[in-house]
Amino acid sequence: MDLGYARVSTAKREPDRQIDALRQVGIAPERIYVDKKSGVTTDRLGLTAALAYAREGDVIVVHTLDRLGRTVRDTLEPDPRPRRAGGGGA
């Protein structure tokens, strides 16, 4: 299943453009998770919910990679929880 994730850096900004792009590629509105927080913030409830919902084989789609985090490390490892042997973090 494809899930979507959109993030804007402040509550004053709107994620509409990202959400529209995710919907255009077939992501169901109820499967789009949104955060209005800075990328430096690790407490992103939308991303946490998307990662918790995702199962093996699911794909989390973002409009641009920088929506996952501000640094390469954040982008490559958005879930700081320890990994279990033979599987994902959640």
Side-chain angles (χ1 to χ4, degrees):
M1 172 182 303
D2 288 346
L3 310 172
Y5 177 68
R7 180 184 61 80
V8 290
S9 56
T10 70
K12 294 178 183 177
R13 296 192 178 258
E14 293 299 324
D16 298 343
R17 183 175 63 104
Q18 295 175 53
I19 292 169
D20 289 344
L22 293 168
R23 292 182 71 184
Q24 286 178 10
V25 297
I27 308 296
E30 65 273 11
R31 296 292 174 245
I32 297 175
Y33 298 84
V34 178
D35 280 318
K36 290 186 175 185
K37 296 220 176 189
S38 168
V40 78
T41 303
T42 58
D43 182 28
R44 290 179 267 157
L45 299 179
L47 182 58
T48 300
L51 292 169
Y53 186 88
R55 299 295 177 253
E56 186 173 336
D58 288 351
V59 174
I60 297 177
V61 179
V62 292
H63 183 248
T64 57
L65 285 177
D66 67 335
R67 299 300 80 203
L68 289 177
R70 291 181 62 183
T71 67
V72 172
R73 183 178 184 161
D74 290 344
T75 301
L76 295 176
E77 188 64 40
D79 184 0
R81 294 175 291 178
R83 300 286 181 188
R84 290 177 286 173

